[in-house]
Each structure stands twice: as structure tokens, then as C-alpha cells.
Amino acid sequence: MSQQNGHKSSGGVVQRPTNPVGIVGYGAYVPRYRLPGSEIARVWTGGVGGSPVKEKAVAGLDEDVVTMSIEAARNALTRAQIDPTDIRAVWVGSESHPYAVKPTSTMVAEAIGAVPNTLAADWEFACKAGSEAVQAGIGFVGSSMGRYVMSIGMDIAQGRPGDALEYTAAAGGAAFIIGPAEDSLAVYEGTYSFVTDTPDFWRRAGESYPSHGDRFTGEPAYFNHTISAAETIMQEMGLTPADFDYAVFHQPNVKFPGRAGKMLGFTPEQLQTGMLVNEIGNVYSGSSLIGLSAILDEATPDSLILYVSYGSGAGSDAMVIRTTERLAERQGLARSTRDYIARRTEIDYALYTRYRGKLKMH
Amino acid sequence: MEVVNYWRMKKQRFGLEGATQPRRDAGESMYHEDTLPHTNGNGSAAATLTLQAERTETTPVDLFTKGVVYSWTTVYNAPAGFDAQAPYTLAMIELDDGSLLTAQLTDVDGEPEIGQRVEMVTRLLRTDGEAGVIIYGYKFRPVLDH
């Protein structure tokens, strides 16, 4: 298409901003309720058959993507120790914005004190909406349009009762403040996205629950995009799996990211720190980002991290991130991802139906 | 009416912003006697703030976001709009700056204790029906250690 327009490709596919950019602060949020997979199986399959995760995080009656984003954003601000009025964009990626029309991002911006001199918008690209907002933040800060950007991936994922996705569709996510590399606790060394039109999972406008292409969600969707994005960025940057201390992938279940990591040549140890899905489920737009936040909680300075998101429809964003000396001094300033995971209150399926509005009241 | 309240109270509800008025006998603490009541969680105290604001010029102030449970009760028969979350615990919170305000507690199991440390979180308070605005605001939860 570019040649038809008379333009030629400019070459390299790995993207880097003009000015180096990194993560100034980050913060996670996971609600406290947990629904075990065995409880879903008890209701729908008579307990026969396994669950793709041990349990999933469920939001309470008074929580949604706005409230969860606000708490993660406040944690990110606490770590960054910046003035919120210096934030020039607040972007929230989610599949479960509470309004169809009225931005989540303006409410988050209001709550953290970033209004009024800021951009604000909600992003949508299935499970990689938040990761896309991070990339946009890299470009925005890297071109000096603003000093700081708040990019958030947060979801309360919808799973149709009885559907395979109900075992994993969960609530949680993370917020990242993108800023100049000299202020950062980790620096983006490169980012690359691999995108095609792939009909693996979708939700039509007005529908309460998503639809999916069953087995089609695997090879042509998750694995093709995740593996292609990871292989390309490593090849273009002259890196191999052995160069990385950590790797984190989108986590729709336990099996997929584990297999993707193995196919690429990563060891289970490299994946372990960022692998949260067995304990909190698939938090969709927040999945790979909260995995990254768990890694940043434990990493030491000068660690190399491979981050790869996946969003249905479909695409993967691969990023190479190196931690800096500033990480150690900011890790403990706010609650860790593990602090939230440890805050666990188990509920049964009956309470789950009330908390998630699945009861027909009239 | 919900939209008007939403607009007027957004700084209070999202940011726990209070207001002070100058003391007539200047000096001493700016809190306690001078801090205007904020809201009692169902929005009715907004009227108090407005009346006070008309009589006296007030200055916005960011209240502290941590404090202790001063007193509490459990609401089983909730007013219209709050019934979706009933039963819930309503508490008076004494903030670390000395202000006293009323708010719901959240993320509590069983009965809270007087003097228990709590912290502000932003949560969904209620919705104006299926199609109206969603009202967010402050609640307090037991302080999470980290």
C-alpha cells in the first residue's frame, strides 16, 4: 500500500523515541475477592474437568474500572513523587469502561489532580489497550510534547456464565507514569508491534459478553502475534532470551504464556516473577502490565525485561525494558503487586453473581 | 439534580477536599471548629457547605486521607439509591488532621473497631438508575500494610 501511495518504507521496524523515555512510577491494583475455578466447575460441570487457573480476582460491589484505575494511579504517583499537574496525558485502556460515552480517563485525571491541563482519552484494543497507551506515552514524552503521561491498563473482564472464559475473566491492572529516561526507574530500549486482522475474540456493541473463536484463539491468534513480536524485536536488537533477566507475556491462562515462553527459549525462572494468572486470573488490559509491575517490584537495577502484550483482533506489543539505579529507591514507596494479591477473601458463586450483577432483578 | 451535585461535589468526592473559614479570633488550630462538614455519604451535607459558603468565604483544603474509626453503625435498610450495596457500614472518621467526617467503610468483614486505622479510597457510591450518572466518592477501608 505504501508503494501505491508513492512512499517507500523507512526501514527498521523497532521504534525508539527521539529522546530516551522510561517508567517514572508504576502501581498495581487487584480487588480482594477470589473465586476459585473449582467453584465455577461445581456450578456448571458438576465439578468435572479442570480449571485453566486456580482462582480469579473479582471486584466488589463498589468497584469498577474507574475506581481501580484511580488506586493504581495513586500508587504510581506515590512511587514517581511528581506533581500530578505535570502530567500532560491520562490514558486508560480497558474492555470494561463503565460508560459507553463519558471518559474513564477524565474521572481518573480529576481524582489524581491532573486536571485541567492534560489530554485524556480511553483506549480500546481488547487486552492490549493499556499497552498501546504506554506506547503512545513513549512517543508523546519522547517527542517532548509533555514531561509525563499516565498510561493505565485496567479491566473487570466479562465472562458469560458457564462459558470457558468465566474461569479466567478477572479484575485488576496497573498504571505507569511515562517520563524522561533521566527520571526513570526503568528505560524503554525499543518497542515493536505486530498487528493483523484476526477474528479470534470480539464483543459487538451493546452485547454484555464477548464471543470467541474457541480453538482459533491459539495458534493463529495468541501464538502467532506473541511469538512474532518477541522474535522480531530480539532479532532486530541483537538480543537472545539468555540476555534477559525476566520475560512477561499476556496471560489468558497458565498454559499459553508458559508455552510461548518455552517456544521462544525462555526458562520457567525467567517467566515466574511476572506470571500472576494462576492467582488472579486474566485481567485483560491489565494482564501483561500487572505482570510487569510484579517484576519491577522485585527486580534489581540493570535488569533486562522482555515485555509482550497480546490483544485480540489482533496484535502484540513487544518492549525491551532495562531497570535503572532509581528502581531500588522507589520500589518500597507504594504497595507491591504481591501485597494486593495476598489480600484475599474467597467468595462462592452465589456472592459472585451478586457482585458482578449477574442476577436478573426484574 | 444528580448532575448538579456531581459537578459541585467532584473535588470533595474524588479528592477529599474540605474547606476552612478564617477564625474570628485568629490563631490556633485551623481544624475542628473551622472545618465545614463535608458530606455524610448521601450528599445531604452538601447543602450545609453551600449555606456556610454563602455566609463566609471559605478556603479549599486537602484533608488528610488517613484516620481512625470514631464511631460506626451498620445500615440494613438503606435509603433509595444505596440499597444495591446494603448492608454496609457507615462510620464517623477522625482524620489525622483532626477533622471529623462521615463516610462508608468498605473492604471490611464483620464489625470494625473504634480507633481502627483507616484510609481513604475512591469507590462507587451509587448510580442514578440504569441510564443516569455514576456517583463516585470517598469511602474508608482498613489501612493496608505494605
mmCIF file of all heavy atoms in Angstrom, chain A residues 298-342:
data_model
loop_
_atom_site.group_PDB
_atom_site.id
_atom_site.type_symbol
_atom_site.label_atom_id
_atom_site.label_comp_id
_atom_site.label_asym_id
_atom_site.label_seq_id
_atom_site.Cartn_x
_atom_site.Cartn_y
_atom_site.Cartn_z
ATOM 1 N N GLU A 298 10.368 -6.593 42.188
ATOM 2 C CA GLU A 298 11.426 -7.483 42.680
ATOM 3 C C GLU A 298 12.757 -7.336 41.968
ATOM 4 O O GLU A 298 13.781 -7.806 42.471
ATOM 5 C CB GLU A 298 10.956 -8.949 42.556
ATOM 6 C CG GLU A 298 9.760 -9.228 43.452
ATOM 7 C CD GLU A 298 9.407 -10.699 43.528
ATOM 8 O OE1 GLU A 298 10.256 -11.534 43.154
ATOM 9 O OE2 GLU A 298 8.287 -11.005 43.966
ATOM 10 N N ALA A 299 12.757 -6.689 40.807
ATOM 11 C CA ALA A 299 13.987 -6.612 40.014
ATOM 12 C C ALA A 299 15.037 -5.731 40.692
ATOM 13 O O ALA A 299 14.711 -4.872 41.515
ATOM 14 C CB ALA A 299 13.661 -6.067 38.628
ATOM 15 N N THR A 300 16.270 -5.958 40.327
ATOM 16 C CA THR A 300 17.361 -5.102 40.786
ATOM 17 C C THR A 300 17.761 -4.180 39.629
ATOM 18 O O THR A 300 17.397 -4.435 38.479
ATOM 19 C CB THR A 300 18.571 -5.959 41.215
ATOM 20 O OG1 THR A 300 18.870 -6.852 40.129
ATOM 21 C CG2 THR A 300 18.260 -6.763 42.466
ATOM 22 N N PRO A 301 18.504 -3.104 39.929
ATOM 23 C CA PRO A 301 18.939 -2.215 38.844
ATOM 24 C C PRO A 301 19.726 -2.964 37.763
ATOM 25 O O PRO A 301 20.394 -3.956 38.044
ATOM 26 C CB PRO A 301 19.808 -1.198 39.575
ATOM 27 C CG PRO A 301 19.241 -1.152 40.956
ATOM 28 C CD PRO A 301 18.835 -2.565 41.251
ATOM 29 N N ASP A 302 19.605 -2.461 36.533
ATOM 30 C CA ASP A 302 20.283 -3.021 35.357
ATOM 31 C C ASP A 302 19.785 -4.416 35.003
ATOM 32 O O ASP A 302 20.529 -5.235 34.474
ATOM 33 C CB ASP A 302 21.806 -3.018 35.551
ATOM 34 C CG ASP A 302 22.528 -3.065 34.196
ATOM 35 O OD1 ASP A 302 21.972 -2.524 33.210
ATOM 36 O OD2 ASP A 302 23.626 -3.650 34.126
ATOM 37 N N SER A 303 18.515 -4.671 35.285
ATOM 38 C CA SER A 303 17.901 -5.925 34.822
ATOM 39 C C SER A 303 17.263 -5.672 33.471
ATOM 40 O O SER A 303 16.716 -4.597 33.220
ATOM 41 C CB SER A 303 16.810 -6.392 35.792
ATOM 42 O OG SER A 303 17.349 -6.690 37.051
ATOM 43 N N LEU A 304 17.296 -6.686 32.610
ATOM 44 C CA LEU A 304 16.694 -6.552 31.281
ATOM 45 C C LEU A 304 15.396 -7.370 31.239
ATOM 46 O O LEU A 304 15.373 -8.535 31.640
ATOM 47 C CB LEU A 304 17.665 -7.032 30.202
ATOM 48 C CG LEU A 304 17.352 -6.552 28.777
ATOM 49 C CD1 LEU A 304 17.393 -5.027 28.681
ATOM 50 C CD2 LEU A 304 18.312 -7.177 27.768
ATOM 51 N N ILE A 305 14.322 -6.710 30.795
ATOM 52 C CA ILE A 305 12.987 -7.317 30.797
ATOM 53 C C ILE A 305 12.430 -7.324 29.379
ATOM 54 O O ILE A 305 12.457 -6.302 28.689
ATOM 55 C CB ILE A 305 12.024 -6.506 31.708
ATOM 56 C CG1 ILE A 305 12.574 -6.391 33.137
ATOM 57 C CG2 ILE A 305 10.626 -7.134 31.713
ATOM 58 C CD1 ILE A 305 11.894 -5.312 33.978
ATOM 59 N N LEU A 306 11.895 -8.479 28.959
ATOM 60 C CA LEU A 306 11.129 -8.529 27.707
ATOM 61 C C LEU A 306 9.652 -8.537 28.071
ATOM 62 O O LEU A 306 9.187 -9.389 28.831
ATOM 63 C CB LEU A 306 11.449 -9.784 26.891
ATOM 64 C CG LEU A 306 10.620 -9.907 25.596
ATOM 65 C CD1 LEU A 306 11.008 -8.832 24.583
ATOM 66 C CD2 LEU A 306 10.754 -11.292 24.978
ATOM 67 N N TYR A 307 8.940 -7.565 27.538
ATOM 68 C CA TYR A 307 7.505 -7.421 27.796
ATOM 69 C C TYR A 307 6.773 -7.637 26.479
ATOM 70 O O TYR A 307 7.120 -7.023 25.464
ATOM 71 C CB TYR A 307 7.236 -6.012 28.335
ATOM 72 C CG TYR A 307 5.782 -5.595 28.299
ATOM 73 C CD1 TYR A 307 4.971 -5.756 29.420
ATOM 74 C CD2 TYR A 307 5.217 -5.041 27.153
ATOM 75 C CE1 TYR A 307 3.632 -5.387 29.393
ATOM 76 C CE2 TYR A 307 3.880 -4.670 27.118
ATOM 77 C CZ TYR A 307 3.093 -4.845 28.237
ATOM 78 O OH TYR A 307 1.778 -4.479 28.207
ATOM 79 N N VAL A 308 5.768 -8.521 26.466
ATOM 80 C CA VAL A 308 4.976 -8.734 25.251
ATOM 81 C C VAL A 308 3.491 -8.819 25.621
ATOM 82 O O VAL A 308 3.077 -9.710 26.363
ATOM 83 C CB VAL A 308 5.382 -10.021 24.498
ATOM 84 C CG1 VAL A 308 4.674 -10.081 23.149
ATOM 85 C CG2 VAL A 308 6.886 -10.102 24.301
ATOM 86 N N SER A 309 2.719 -7.877 25.096
ATOM 87 C CA SER A 309 1.275 -7.902 25.337
ATOM 88 C C SER A 309 0.606 -8.705 24.212
ATOM 89 O O SER A 309 1.231 -9.043 23.206
ATOM 90 C CB SER A 309 0.720 -6.482 25.355
ATOM 91 O OG SER A 309 0.856 -5.887 24.080
ATOM 92 N N TYR A 310 -0.669 -8.989 24.385
ATOM 93 C CA TYR A 310 -1.456 -9.532 23.278
ATOM 94 C C TYR A 310 -2.878 -9.010 23.398
ATOM 95 O O TYR A 310 -3.472 -9.028 24.490
ATOM 96 C CB TYR A 310 -1.496 -11.065 23.287
ATOM 97 C CG TYR A 310 -2.441 -11.574 22.217
ATOM 98 C CD1 TYR A 310 -2.088 -11.491 20.872
ATOM 99 C CD2 TYR A 310 -3.720 -12.031 22.545
ATOM 100 C CE1 TYR A 310 -2.981 -11.875 19.879
ATOM 101 C CE2 TYR A 310 -4.612 -12.420 21.551
ATOM 102 C CZ TYR A 310 -4.234 -12.333 20.224
ATOM 103 O OH TYR A 310 -5.122 -12.693 19.242
ATOM 104 N N GLY A 311 -3.409 -8.524 22.302
ATOM 105 C CA GLY A 311 -4.803 -8.099 22.262
ATOM 106 C C GLY A 311 -5.490 -8.775 21.097
ATOM 107 O O GLY A 311 -4.947 -8.833 19.981
ATOM 108 N N SER A 312 -6.671 -9.299 21.351
ATOM 109 C CA SER A 312 -7.408 -9.965 20.282
ATOM 110 C C SER A 312 -7.805 -8.971 19.217
ATOM 111 O O SER A 312 -8.043 -7.805 19.480
ATOM 112 C CB SER A 312 -8.660 -10.644 20.846
ATOM 113 O OG SER A 312 -8.287 -11.725 21.651
ATOM 114 N N GLY A 313 -7.858 -9.510 18.006
ATOM 115 C CA GLY A 313 -8.314 -8.680 16.904
ATOM 116 C C GLY A 313 -7.376 -8.371 15.741
ATOM 117 O O GLY A 313 -7.862 -8.034 14.697
ATOM 118 N N ALA A 314 -6.059 -8.460 15.872
ATOM 119 C CA ALA A 314 -5.210 -8.933 16.961
ATOM 120 C C ALA A 314 -3.830 -8.288 16.847
ATOM 121 O O ALA A 314 -3.437 -7.854 15.775
ATOM 122 C CB ALA A 314 -5.028 -10.448 16.882
ATOM 123 N N GLY A 315 -3.129 -8.235 17.965
ATOM 124 C CA GLY A 315 -1.781 -7.685 17.896
ATOM 125 C C GLY A 315 -1.001 -7.906 19.179
ATOM 126 O O GLY A 315 -1.572 -8.230 20.231
ATOM 127 N N SER A 316 0.297 -7.769 19.077
ATOM 128 C CA SER A 316 1.192 -7.851 20.239
ATOM 129 C C SER A 316 2.163 -6.688 20.207
ATOM 130 O O SER A 316 2.671 -6.316 19.144
ATOM 131 C CB SER A 316 1.994 -9.150 20.224
ATOM 132 O OG SER A 316 1.203 -10.220 20.674
ATOM 133 N N ASP A 317 2.397 -6.099 21.394
ATOM 134 C CA ASP A 317 3.416 -5.065 21.546
ATOM 135 C C ASP A 317 4.578 -5.672 22.324
ATOM 136 O O ASP A 317 4.387 -6.129 23.447
ATOM 137 C CB ASP A 317 2.885 -3.869 22.347
ATOM 138 C CG ASP A 317 1.581 -3.331 21.763
ATOM 139 O OD1 ASP A 317 1.490 -3.242 20.535
ATOM 140 O OD2 ASP A 317 0.671 -3.006 22.552
ATOM 141 N N ALA A 318 5.744 -5.678 21.727
ATOM 142 C CA ALA A 318 6.931 -6.171 22.430
ATOM 143 C C ALA A 318 7.776 -4.964 22.840
ATOM 144 O O ALA A 318 7.948 -4.030 22.047
ATOM 145 C CB ALA A 318 7.735 -7.092 21.531
ATOM 146 N N MET A 319 8.267 -4.967 24.069
ATOM 147 C CA MET A 319 9.115 -3.878 24.536
ATOM 148 C C MET A 319 10.304 -4.450 25.305
ATOM 149 O O MET A 319 10.159 -5.422 26.047
ATOM 150 C CB MET A 319 8.336 -2.932 25.462
ATOM 151 C CG MET A 319 7.069 -2.373 24.825
ATOM 152 S SD MET A 319 6.234 -1.162 25.864
ATOM 153 C CE MET A 319 4.546 -1.340 25.259
ATOM 154 N N VAL A 320 11.447 -3.823 25.088
ATOM 155 C CA VAL A 320 12.652 -4.184 25.843
ATOM 156 C C VAL A 320 12.898 -3.076 26.857
ATOM 157 O O VAL A 320 13.007 -1.897 26.503
ATOM 158 C CB VAL A 320 13.859 -4.366 24.905
ATOM 159 C CG1 VAL A 320 15.137 -4.563 25.711
ATOM 160 C CG2 VAL A 320 13.626 -5.554 23.969
ATOM 161 N N ILE A 321 12.954 -3.470 28.127
ATOM 162 C CA ILE A 321 12.994 -2.504 29.225
ATOM 163 C C ILE A 321 14.192 -2.821 30.120
ATOM 164 O O ILE A 321 14.388 -3.982 30.502
ATOM 165 C CB ILE A 321 11.691 -2.598 30.062
ATOM 166 C CG1 ILE A 321 10.460 -2.364 29.164
ATOM 167 C CG2 ILE A 321 11.707 -1.624 31.230
ATOM 168 C CD1 ILE A 321 9.152 -2.821 29.783
ATOM 169 N N ARG A 322 14.978 -1.792 30.456
ATOM 170 C CA ARG A 322 16.112 -2.004 31.357
ATOM 171 C C ARG A 322 15.919 -1.164 32.611
ATOM 172 O O ARG A 322 15.672 0.035 32.529
ATOM 173 C CB ARG A 322 17.435 -1.636 30.684
ATOM 174 C CG ARG A 322 18.668 -2.045 31.532
ATOM 175 C CD ARG A 322 19.977 -1.678 30.863
ATOM 176 N NE ARG A 322 20.221 -2.365 29.601
ATOM 177 C CZ ARG A 322 20.707 -3.607 29.490
ATOM 178 N NH1 ARG A 322 21.009 -4.299 30.567
ATOM 179 N NH2 ARG A 322 20.907 -4.143 28.300
ATOM 180 N N THR A 323 16.018 -1.792 33.778
ATOM 181 C CA THR A 323 15.830 -1.057 35.036
ATOM 182 C C THR A 323 17.064 -0.209 35.337
ATOM 183 O O THR A 323 18.169 -0.510 34.890
ATOM 184 C CB THR A 323 15.567 -2.021 36.207
ATOM 185 O OG1 THR A 323 16.706 -2.892 36.334
ATOM 186 C CG2 THR A 323 14.325 -2.858 35.964
ATOM 187 N N THR A 324 16.844 0.859 36.109
ATOM 188 C CA THR A 324 17.937 1.776 36.459
ATOM 189 C C THR A 324 18.185 1.757 37.968
ATOM 190 O O THR A 324 17.480 1.096 38.728
ATOM 191 C CB THR A 324 17.597 3.219 36.042
ATOM 192 O OG1 THR A 324 16.615 3.735 36.952
ATOM 193 C CG2 THR A 324 17.066 3.292 34.617
ATOM 194 N N GLU A 325 19.159 2.537 38.377
ATOM 195 C CA GLU A 325 19.507 2.648 39.800
ATOM 196 C C GLU A 325 18.340 3.185 40.633
ATOM 197 O O GLU A 325 18.260 2.953 41.829
ATOM 198 C CB GLU A 325 20.721 3.574 39.966
ATOM 199 C CG GLU A 325 22.014 3.011 39.399
ATOM 200 C CD GLU A 325 22.486 1.773 40.136
ATOM 201 O OE1 GLU A 325 22.234 1.675 41.353
ATOM 202 O OE2 GLU A 325 23.081 0.889 39.485
ATOM 203 N N ARG A 326 17.453 3.956 39.989
ATOM 204 C CA ARG A 326 16.351 4.570 40.735
ATOM 205 C C ARG A 326 15.310 3.559 41.189
ATOM 206 O O ARG A 326 14.487 3.860 42.050
ATOM 207 C CB ARG A 326 15.652 5.623 39.872
ATOM 208 C CG ARG A 326 16.509 6.812 39.545
ATOM 209 C CD ARG A 326 15.726 7.815 38.704
ATOM 210 N NE ARG A 326 16.586 8.867 38.212
ATOM 211 C CZ ARG A 326 16.904 9.941 38.913
ATOM 212 N NH1 ARG A 326 16.423 10.094 40.125
ATOM 213 N NH2 ARG A 326 17.704 10.859 38.406
ATOM 214 N N LEU A 327 15.325 2.375 40.602
ATOM 215 C CA LEU A 327 14.282 1.394 40.924
ATOM 216 C C LEU A 327 14.276 1.061 42.415
ATOM 217 O O LEU A 327 13.223 1.074 43.054
ATOM 218 C CB LEU A 327 14.477 0.115 40.088
ATOM 219 C CG LEU A 327 13.475 -1.004 40.372
ATOM 220 C CD1 LEU A 327 12.042 -0.561 40.067
ATOM 221 C CD2 LEU A 327 13.805 -2.257 39.557
ATOM 222 N N ALA A 328 15.446 0.794 42.962
ATOM 223 C CA ALA A 328 15.525 0.328 44.351
ATOM 224 C C ALA A 328 14.928 1.349 45.320
ATOM 225 O O ALA A 328 14.244 0.981 46.279
ATOM 226 C CB ALA A 328 16.976 0.029 44.717
ATOM 227 N N GLU A 329 15.133 2.629 45.045
ATOM 228 C CA GLU A 329 14.645 3.640 45.987
ATOM 229 C C GLU A 329 13.132 3.870 45.875
ATOM 230 O O GLU A 329 12.521 4.441 46.771
ATOM 231 C CB GLU A 329 15.397 4.970 45.787
ATOM 232 C CG GLU A 329 15.098 5.667 44.474
ATOM 233 C CD GLU A 329 16.172 6.676 44.063
ATOM 234 O OE1 GLU A 329 17.380 6.387 44.278
ATOM 235 O OE2 GLU A 329 15.792 7.729 43.541
ATOM 236 N N ARG A 330 12.524 3.426 44.770
ATOM 237 C CA ARG A 330 11.084 3.689 44.594
ATOM 238 C C ARG A 330 10.210 2.449 44.794
ATOM 239 O O ARG A 330 9.006 2.574 44.971
ATOM 240 C CB ARG A 330 10.812 4.257 43.196
ATOM 241 C CG ARG A 330 11.464 5.605 43.026
ATOM 242 C CD ARG A 330 11.041 6.321 41.775
ATOM 243 N NE ARG A 330 11.951 7.421 41.521
ATOM 244 C CZ ARG A 330 12.107 8.025 40.353
ATOM 245 N NH1 ARG A 330 11.387 7.641 39.323
ATOM 246 N NH2 ARG A 330 12.967 9.008 40.222
ATOM 247 N N GLN A 331 10.802 1.264 44.761
ATOM 248 C CA GLN A 331 10.003 0.038 44.883
ATOM 249 C C GLN A 331 9.126 0.055 46.123
ATOM 250 O O GLN A 331 7.942 -0.263 46.081
ATOM 251 C CB GLN A 331 10.917 -1.191 44.946
ATOM 252 C CG GLN A 331 11.414 -1.653 43.595
ATOM 253 C CD GLN A 331 12.548 -2.664 43.710
ATOM 254 O OE1 GLN A 331 13.384 -2.569 44.612
ATOM 255 N NE2 GLN A 331 12.579 -3.620 42.793
ATOM 256 N N GLY A 332 9.706 0.423 47.254
ATOM 257 C CA GLY A 332 9.002 0.297 48.529
ATOM 258 C C GLY A 332 8.099 1.467 48.873
ATOM 259 O O GLY A 332 7.474 1.477 49.940
ATOM 260 N N LEU A 333 7.997 2.461 47.999
ATOM 261 C CA LEU A 333 7.221 3.657 48.333
ATOM 262 C C LEU A 333 5.713 3.410 48.302
ATOM 263 O O LEU A 333 4.947 4.134 48.925
ATOM 264 C CB LEU A 333 7.569 4.802 47.368
ATOM 265 C CG LEU A 333 9.008 5.327 47.436
ATOM 266 C CD1 LEU A 333 9.210 6.451 46.423
ATOM 267 C CD2 LEU A 333 9.332 5.822 48.845
ATOM 268 N N ALA A 334 5.283 2.417 47.557
ATOM 269 C CA ALA A 334 3.847 2.109 47.477
ATOM 270 C C ALA A 334 3.652 0.603 47.618
ATOM 271 O O ALA A 334 4.614 -0.153 47.602
ATOM 272 C CB ALA A 334 3.277 2.587 46.138
ATOM 273 N N ARG A 335 2.408 0.203 47.764
ATOM 274 C CA ARG A 335 2.117 -1.222 47.933
ATOM 275 C C ARG A 335 2.535 -2.010 46.697
ATOM 276 O O ARG A 335 2.360 -1.551 45.576
ATOM 277 C CB ARG A 335 0.625 -1.404 48.172
ATOM 278 C CG ARG A 335 0.274 -0.933 49.549
ATOM 279 C CD ARG A 335 -1.210 -0.930 49.796
ATOM 280 N NE ARG A 335 -1.408 -0.218 51.031
ATOM 281 C CZ ARG A 335 -2.060 0.928 51.142
ATOM 282 N NH1 ARG A 335 -2.628 1.472 50.102
ATOM 283 N NH2 ARG A 335 -2.156 1.529 52.303
ATOM 284 N N SER A 336 3.054 -3.168 46.947
ATOM 285 C CA SER A 336 3.520 -4.005 45.836
ATOM 286 C C SER A 336 2.348 -4.766 45.233
ATOM 287 O O SER A 336 1.270 -4.885 45.835
ATOM 288 C CB SER A 336 4.583 -4.984 46.331
ATOM 289 O OG SER A 336 3.964 -6.002 47.104
ATOM 290 N N THR A 337 2.573 -5.285 44.057
ATOM 291 C CA THR A 337 1.574 -6.117 43.387
ATOM 292 C C THR A 337 1.245 -7.330 44.271
ATOM 293 O O THR A 337 0.089 -7.710 44.414
ATOM 294 C CB THR A 337 2.142 -6.581 42.031
ATOM 295 O OG1 THR A 337 2.696 -5.434 41.376
ATOM 296 C CG2 THR A 337 1.069 -7.206 41.166
ATOM 297 N N ARG A 338 2.273 -7.890 44.876
ATOM 298 C CA ARG A 338 2.078 -9.059 45.754
ATOM 299 C C ARG A 338 1.282 -8.701 47.004
ATOM 300 O O ARG A 338 0.588 -9.550 47.564
ATOM 301 C CB ARG A 338 3.435 -9.659 46.142
ATOM 302 C CG ARG A 338 4.066 -10.472 45.037
ATOM 303 C CD ARG A 338 3.555 -11.893 45.060
ATOM 304 N NE ARG A 338 3.717 -12.545 43.770
ATOM 305 C CZ ARG A 338 2.974 -13.564 43.358
ATOM 306 N NH1 ARG A 338 2.013 -14.055 44.122
ATOM 307 N NH2 ARG A 338 3.163 -14.099 42.191
ATOM 308 N N ASP A 339 1.392 -7.449 47.489
ATOM 309 C CA ASP A 339 0.581 -7.018 48.640
ATOM 310 C C ASP A 339 -0.901 -7.158 48.306
ATOM 311 O O ASP A 339 -1.709 -7.587 49.125
ATOM 312 C CB ASP A 339 0.874 -5.559 49.000
ATOM 313 C CG ASP A 339 2.219 -5.382 49.684
ATOM 314 O OD1 ASP A 339 2.711 -6.353 50.282
ATOM 315 O OD2 ASP A 339 2.777 -4.267 49.618
ATOM 316 N N TYR A 340 -1.250 -6.744 47.088
ATOM 317 C CA TYR A 340 -2.654 -6.836 46.688
ATOM 318 C C TYR A 340 -3.086 -8.285 46.458
ATOM 319 O O TYR A 340 -4.218 -8.656 46.751
ATOM 320 C CB TYR A 340 -2.899 -6.015 45.415
ATOM 321 C CG TYR A 340 -2.976 -4.526 45.683
ATOM 322 C CD1 TYR A 340 -1.937 -3.680 45.341
ATOM 323 C CD2 TYR A 340 -4.103 -3.982 46.284
ATOM 324 C CE1 TYR A 340 -2.007 -2.314 45.593
ATOM 325 C CE2 TYR A 340 -4.189 -2.625 46.540
ATOM 326 C CZ TYR A 340 -3.145 -1.788 46.189
ATOM 327 O OH TYR A 340 -3.224 -0.451 46.450
ATOM 328 N N ILE A 341 -2.186 -9.085 45.912
ATOM 329 C CA ILE A 341 -2.547 -10.490 45.657
ATOM 330 C C ILE A 341 -2.738 -11.231 46.977
ATOM 331 O O ILE A 341 -3.630 -12.079 47.111
ATOM 332 C CB ILE A 341 -1.474 -11.163 44.768
ATOM 333 C CG1 ILE A 341 -1.475 -10.507 43.382
ATOM 334 C CG2 ILE A 341 -1.723 -12.667 44.646
ATOM 335 C CD1 ILE A 341 -0.356 -10.951 42.473
ATOM 336 N N ALA A 342 -1.934 -10.854 47.970
ATOM 337 C CA ALA A 342 -2.027 -11.520 49.274
ATOM 338 C C ALA A 342 -3.312 -11.139 50.018
ATOM 339 O O ALA A 342 -3.761 -11.849 50.920
ATOM 340 C CB ALA A 342 -0.808 -11.158 50.124
#
